[in-house]
Structure formats: structure tokens, C-alpha cells
Amino acid sequence: MNYQKVALSAGLYFVGVPIGTARDITLRALDVLASADVLAAEDTRSLRRLMDIHGVPLAGRPLVALHDHSKDSVIQRLLAQVREGSSVAYASEAGMPLIADPGFELSRAASAADLPQTCAPGPSAALTALVLAGLPTDAFHFAGFLPNAKAARRSALEGLRDIPATLVFYESPKRVAAMLADARDVLGTARQGAMCRELTKKFEEVQRGTLDDLATALDEKPVKGEIVVLIDRNRSETVSLDRVEDDLRQALAAMTMRDAVDMVAKAHDLPRRQVYQQALTLTKGPPG
Ligand code: SAM
């Protein structure tokens, strides 16, 4: 038996569960799942499956669904059970609850009501990817999922451009090619990045390279599975606008606007869009 039945005091127990390999669960997480009076889960079926794998019986205890679309009454009922003296364990479908997953409303409501809560921590895809990406871990910014719509995604990336930290994103295999192409255009071709796929699973893979390398590779060969994208902080020297303007003037005198913008953007590792705006201002005067 991998777990122990323990006496849990009344309170909320957030439980981290594996992100792939079932044996990544901690012994304490199993103890909590085996001992809590009430179980709540983002996906009740996947929690049942995990408990079955580890031989933890439900033994007639209530198992309640709590996800992003649950009514507030579900949270209130769980909190009422804690007030009445019960221990309530909550797990999301994979990894840590609240990390790009439900659980925040529950934690916030418990905090507001000053009820006891703790966490039996487990793996999270973001931290696992940071360990493997080969990018600095002294500071990182978890940006979760970017918006699906292209314009909103690009504008979100622009907002993240100068954060002095490794950027961490969750992404779906369907959208990762478009996301990396936008990241290359907005953040610059030469920035280092990594794509971590299927972590802790059979087909775990880490691809490292510039954003240009990663976007090109994905264009040529789409990927499947679960993905974390990491992007290094901006390391390009700050070039003065005057320097870029001088180079643009010279280039515009010798070639088309398109070629001039491409050349100068590449030379200074600047986003093409920014250099294009500068070229427009030079040729047509400031907007308005
Ligand atoms: N709560 C989870 C955690 O702590 O990592 C994240 C859940 S979020 C709904 C699911 C996303 O996390 C996936 O789309 C993927 O971006 C990332 N993810 C989860 N498991 C992963 C894995 N094994 N390998 C790579 N990425 C993973």
C-alpha cells in the first residue's frame, strides 16, 4: 500500500497531481486523497482513475465536480463542510490546481472566510519545463495561455517584450505554430526559446533554438501533445532610434521599402513591424 490513512484536521487541502506519469504523485498527496472526508475535482473521472492506479479507495466518500463553470453554490457547500469540521481535498485534472486550472475561486473564498487551507504540492508543467529548457531560471514570468485571436496575441506579446525574465507559456499543439511565428515577429528572430513537449511522458521532447529556428521547424513539421513554450528575456542591445533612422534612410535610398525594412529589422534584431512604422514616418511624415 502506497498511502497511509491519516487524521486530517478540518480544512481545505489543495492537491497537486501528475502531469503525465502517474507515479509522480507524492506520498502526502495519496495520504490526503485517502483520508479526506470529501473529495472535489476539476474532473471527477480522472481523479477516480488516478486513485484507482494507486489503490486508493473512494469508500463511499462524496466526490464533487468543481470546475470553471461550476456555480458559486458548489464552493459555498464545500466551505460549509469545512466549517462543520470536514477535511476537503481538491485536485485539478493535471498538475497543480490554480495554475492555468480551476481552484482560485475556492481558495479566494476560503481566504475571505478565514478558513484553514493547505497544499500537498506536486508537479507543474511550467516548473518542469523551466528545469529542462536551458534558459535562465533566476526570474521567470508565467503568462499562461495567450489569446487565440492573432491581433490580441500579438498585442499580449508586445506587453511582455521587455520583461527581464524567462517567459513561460502554455500552448495547444493546434496553435503553437502560429504562436511561435507571432513571437518571432514581435520579439525578434534571434531570441532564444524552447519548446517542451509531453513532459514526464513517453514521447517527452525538448527543442531549443532561436524563435526563428523553432517557428521554422514547426512550419515544416507540426507537433502533437501537450506543450510549454519558453522564451528568453530581451538581450538585444538597445539601439537608438537615430541609429535605426540613419540606416533606414540609407537603405530606402537604395532599395524598396519592403527590402529596406527587412534588412534594418534583421540587422538590429528589431521587430519588423516597429521598423516598418519608422519607415512610414520617414517617407510620409508622422501619423495624423
Ligand atoms: N495545472 C497544470 C500545471 O500545473 O501545469 C496545467 C494545466 S493547463 C489546463 C494544461 C496545459 O499545461 C497544457 O495545455 C500544456 O500547455 C501544459 N501541460 C500540462 N501537462 C504537460 C506536459 N506533460 N507536458 C507539457 N506541457 C504540459
Side-chain angles (χ1 to χ4, degrees), residues 19 94 96 99-101 124-125 145 170-171 199 201 226-228:
I19 55 168
M96 289 290 279
I99 307 302
D101 259 342
S124 185
F145 290 94
Y170 285 171
E171 197 42 274
L199 294 166
K201 304 189 211 176
E226 297 196 281
I227 295 165
V228 184

Side-chain angles (χ1 to χ4, degrees), residues 143-163:
F145 290 94
L146 284 171
N148 296 344
K150 192 172 187 66
R153 186 167 57 222
R154 282 184 170 241
S155 129
L157 281 164
E158 265 156 28
L160 299 169
R161 184 165 47 210
D162 293 317
I163 294 180

Side-chain angles (χ1 to χ4, degrees), residues 13-276:
Y13 294 76
F14 290 96
V15 178
V17 294
I19 55 168
T21 293
R23 288 180 67 79
D24 280 341
I25 195 153
T26 69
L27 295 176
R28 180 166 172 239
L30 288 179
D31 293 351
V32 170
L33 292 175
S35 313
D37 300 312
V38 177
L39 299 167
E42 179 193 13
D43 179 345
T44 53
R45 278 200 312 185
S46 69
L47 185 61
R48 278 301 295 267
R49 209 177 313 124
L50 186 67
M51 288 168 65
D52 281 349
I53 290 173
H54 293 289
V56 177
L58 190 57
R61 294 172 296 161
L63 173 53
V64 180
L66 175 60
H67 42 71
D68 279 339
H69 307 292
S70 298
K71 295 201 179 111
D72 185 53
S73 57
V74 180
I75 291 179
Q76 294 312 325
R77 210 176 318 128
L78 293 173
L79 297 189
Q81 286 170 306
V82 171
R83 276 192 205 94
E84 286 157 14
S86 294
S87 50
V88 176
Y90 177 72
S92 58
E93 192 182 344
M96 289 290 279
L98 282 84
I99 307 302
D101 259 342
F104 169 62
E105 299 298 344
L106 179 61
S107 166
R108 182 163 65 173
S111 307
D114 216 9
L115 290 172
Q117 48 182 323
T118 186
C119 178
S124 185
L127 291 183
T128 310
L130 271 163
V131 171
L132 298 176
L135 294 171
T137 52
D138 58 324
F140 56 87
H141 178 92
F142 177 61
F145 290 94
L146 284 171
N148 296 344
K150 192 172 187 66
R153 186 167 57 222
R154 282 184 170 241
S155 129
L157 281 164
E158 265 156 28
L160 299 169
R161 184 165 47 210
D162 293 317
I163 294 180
T166 296
L167 306 175
V168 184
F169 303 92
Y170 285 171
E171 197 42 274
S172 91
K174 277 193 210 132
R175 280 189 296 269
V176 68
M179 181 264 185
L180 276 168
D182 284 343
R184 170 187 59 195
D185 294 350
V186 174
L187 305 177
T189 52
R191 268 222 213 182
Q192 293 295 316
M195 191 182 67
C196 301
R197 209 166 63 76
E198 294 287 272
L199 294 166
T200 78
K201 304 189 211 176
K202 186 170 177 195
F203 295 107
E204 176 174 298
E205 178 193 30
V206 179
Q207 283 182 35
R208 305 178 185 87
T210 64
L211 292 182
D212 200 30
D213 296 335
L214 294 172
T216 308
L218 270 181
D219 242 12
E220 286 162 7
K221 189 168 175 265
V223 287
K224 291 188 181 152
E226 297 196 281
I227 295 165
V228 184
V229 171
L230 300 99
I231 299 180
D232 195 11
R233 69 199 69 184
N234 188 2
R235 295 188 185 274
S236 61
E237 282 171 43
T238 332
V239 266
S240 76
L241 279 180
D242 288 350
R243 172 84 198 282
V244 178
E245 194 171 309
D246 284 349
D247 288 357
L248 259 178
R249 274 187 209 287
Q250 279 186 29
L252 284 166
M255 55 187 88
T256 63
M257 163 109 85
R258 181 181 238 247
D259 289 345
V261 167
D262 279 346
M263 191 181 87
V264 173
K266 208 162 186 185
H268 293 290
D269 191 28
L270 287 171
R272 193 181 181 284
R273 185 200 275 201
Q274 178 191 321
V275 179
Y276 178 67

